[in-house]
Amino acid sequence: MTMTASVDWLKNEAINFKTKSGSGHTVVVDSKQELGARPMELMLMGLGGCASYDVVSILQKSRQNISDVRCEVSAKRADSIPAVFTDIHLHFIITGKDIKESQVAKAIELSATKYCSASKMLADGGVVITHDYEIVGE
């Protein structure tokens, strides 16, 4: 499967870009955060989105009565250039009624080890990725 994207410089005083995915969605990328997110922030957002998609899908398939899933992503970067991510932590907040903790743990584990392409790619590149969760009842 081939994916595409384009990146166009906005040619203003700052160095920022309008990006467009092959599916037609646009995002502004900005190193100073005046018009958009920084590129490394987008990587964290992508990882959180990928993992969250898996977790929601797995919990729905296991008939868990979820009403909300939030993933808070934090990361540490190397002090030297390139300032790659060294550690990333995903904290899931699962809200719903009668949620089984074992199902939440299983969904997160499956995402981390089997389904989330972003997580697999970063982990294979040497990033230490950890996860935890909390369950909030309704």
Side-chain angles (χ1 to χ4, degrees):
M1 174 184 186
T2 300
M3 296 179 77
T4 63
S6 61
V7 180
D8 293 303
W9 181 28
L10 294 176
K11 297 181 186 151
N12 50 22
E13 297 92 44
I15 301 176
N16 43 41
F17 304 87
K18 178 181 174 185
T19 64
K20 186 174 183 179
S21 68
S23 59
H25 299 281
T26 60
V27 176
V28 174
V29 178
D30 184 355
S31 64
K32 295 185 181 183
Q33 299 176 294
E34 294 169 353
L35 297 176
R38 295 182 308 205
M40 294 298 280
E41 289 175 317
L42 290 172
M43 292 184 72
L44 291 182
M45 293 161 61
L47 171 61
C50 184
S52 295
Y53 175 87
D54 294 337
V55 169
V56 168
S57 177
I58 294 165
L59 290 175
Q60 287 178 333
K61 287 176 185 171
S62 64
R63 301 193 190 318
Q64 296 301 296
N65 189 12
I66 57 172
S67 60
D68 192 42
V69 173
R70 178 180 176 88
C71 181
E72 298 174 346
V73 186
S74 59
K76 293 181 182 174
R77 294 177 70 180
D79 292 329
S80 59
I81 293 179
V84 298
F85 291 125
T86 58
D87 301 88
I88 300 175
H89 182 74
L90 290 86
H91 176 71
F92 291 91
I93 303 164
I94 313 293
T95 303
K97 186 175 180 183
D98 300 322
I99 304 295
K100 293 181 183 173
E101 185 173 353
S102 62
Q103 292 293 329
V104 172
K106 180 179 178 181
I108 293 169
E109 178 68 19
L110 284 171
S111 173
T113 61
K114 187 173 182 180
Y115 295 115
C116 180
S117 303
S119 182
K120 178 78 171 142
M121 183 172 56
L122 289 165
D124 285 355
V127 180
V128 175
I129 302 176
T130 57
H131 308 79
D132 68 3
Y133 60 88
E134 62 184 280
I135 298 171
V136 179
E138 291 187 323

